[in-house]
Amino acid sequence: MFRILFIFLLPFFVFGAELSPAEKNASIYGALTLIPPLVAIALAFITKDVILSLFLGVLSGTFLIGMNDNGVLSGFVVAFTDLCARMVASMADAWNAGILLQVMCIGGLIALVTKSGGTKALAMWLGARAHTGVRAQIYTWFMGIIIFFDDYANALILGPIMRPLMDRFKISRAKFAFIIDATAAPITGIALISTWVGVEISAIKEAYAQIGVEDINAFTIFVETIPYRFYNIYMLFFVVASAVMMREFGPMYRAEMASRAGKNGGRDFKIANLEDQAFSPKEGIEPRKINALIPLGAMIVLSVIGFYANGLGALGEEELKAVQADPFSFVSIRTAFSGADASVVLFQAAMFSSIIGIVLGLWQKIYGIKEGIEIWIGGWKTMLTTVLILLFAWSLSSTIKELGTSKYLVDLLGESTPMALLALVIFVLSSIISFSTGTSFGTMGIVTPLAVPLAASVGAKYGLSGDEFHAFMCLNISSVFTGAIFGDHCSPISDTTILSSMGAGCDHIEHVSTQLPYAIVVGIISTFCGFLPASFGVNVWVCLAFGLGVTVLAIRILGKKVSGEVR
């Protein structure tokens, strides 16, 4: 009798008030929590329809959640209503709303710049100096490095500026999107001043607090992890090496050869540019670089100033006093940037820059005030597909979070992992979570609190101390951050991947399918030339030099020479 009663009451003990919804769902569904991201990702490649794939991915997740309390039949109804509620909640979130507004507002800004002949003039100016397709790619890479402070700004600004130049040399939109994506998160993730620094430093500090270490300089640890960011460094180098060697492989090679033959993404090259023609400069208008440099330059400058000013408002009293004591020191600037709300700042900068763009057009009598506003609104409309994709991607992310997908994956790790394999295991785990959820930040927040205590425990178990222990900790923290970016690069539901496709004017699935082999190759090089040797005590600088050499060798062996380059 007592045994029967115990079995009956067991669920109430297991799924009591102490368990969060994610923990409860992860315990109930286990591996089934992987269904929503797998559905979204698999269908994206099969159907080539990102919106449909994301919709069904979210719906499968909300069905699993709804089925818990409502049964199978009612679960379908609840699933649909929950999906709609999540989309509303995604749009209502302050951060997400800022991202949507900045995306659409930058679309309006780019329409103004393009209509006034600014992008054409800038492309002509760069084209006079970029005499080959190789130089065009290097210039694009360099521009991506310059816009180091935010990955979203990189994708949204770099695309419209460099697209005409890349088209001139018949560089495929897929390769263009890859260069944008490869110089977005990889450079922002290791920049000393960026919108990422606050997230990374906070994750480090909170994770160390879990092992009872409060008195640490999280920024110093962040800086010391940079040499161990193997994927970031190898990927940035990969872009330059593939451009200089003029070699591509896999789907990217086919995309490049098709582009050289006058096709872009399997379509006629002219058809691929229809979205640009709507905002092509008026006949008789002389293209001027100032029509691009002034508004876009204003956006960059205003963004940097905005990050500082907005960040100051988010600081605590003690931090604010420290910054005010020496407001323009590196530490003060970094502290202010770490507290900034990037989504709001970029929207504000884009809005003000749009006003500058309209005024420039009026001053040069390119269009009247009414037409200028119509052009700006038209630019907003071009971003509606991107907005819808982002809303579904965020809804999928919230569904996966509540379903406990990440909790299930993290629980697969035990403390039995050997020290030499720990960094690799954490890298792979971070990659899987980032790939499944489409978010680098979320992955860092999920895995760092696991990685730091686990690394500290394993390091102590193997008798590490002093500099060896510190280097081991930096290696494992880096494996979280680089794995998050690697998985994000591979994921079709990542917001930066989506924005890179949009910025380059490339079909989203084509961008994902062409970038995926490159990301995997660099990920493998990061594993065998970076994390594994470093785990066995090889000097990090030797690992970096070895990995860069292997990157060149991989491109040489796997790649084929791209012929038909326009000189």
Side-chain angles (χ1 to χ4, degrees), residues 266-303:
R267 298 168 292 162
D268 186 272
F269 199 81
K270 293 180 180 179
I271 294 177
N273 288 315
L274 282 177
E275 68 272 21
D276 299 330
Q277 294 176 8
F279 301 108
S280 58
K282 289 184 175 181
E283 293 184 8
I285 297 297
E286 179 186 356
R288 295 181 179 179
K289 295 192 297 292
I290 62 168
N291 290 339
L293 293 176
I294 291 178
L296 294 177
M299 181 177 170
I300 294 174
V301 172
L302 289 170
S303 296

Side-chain angles (χ1 to χ4, degrees), residues 379-465:
W380 280 58
K381 293 178 182 178
T382 62
M383 300 297 172
L384 289 178
T385 300
T386 302
V387 167
L388 192 57
I389 292 174
L390 285 173
L391 283 173
F392 274 121
W394 290 329
S395 300
L396 179 61
S397 180
S398 72
T399 303
I400 290 169
K401 182 179 180 180
E402 184 175 342
L403 195 57
T405 303
S406 301
K407 176 73 170 56
Y408 168 74
L409 290 172
V410 167
D411 284 344
L412 290 178
L413 261 185
E415 294 193 11
S416 59
T417 306
M419 184 180 73
L421 297 178
L422 183 60
L424 175 59
V425 170
I426 292 174
F427 174 74
V428 172
L429 179 68
S430 298
S431 302
I432 293 172
I433 292 176
S434 182
F435 179 80
S436 302
T437 61
T439 168
S440 298
F441 283 5
T443 302
M444 293 174 187
I446 292 167
V447 183
T448 308
L450 164 75
V452 169
L454 189 60
S457 174
V458 172
K461 176 182 176 182
Y462 284 87
L464 296 182
S465 61

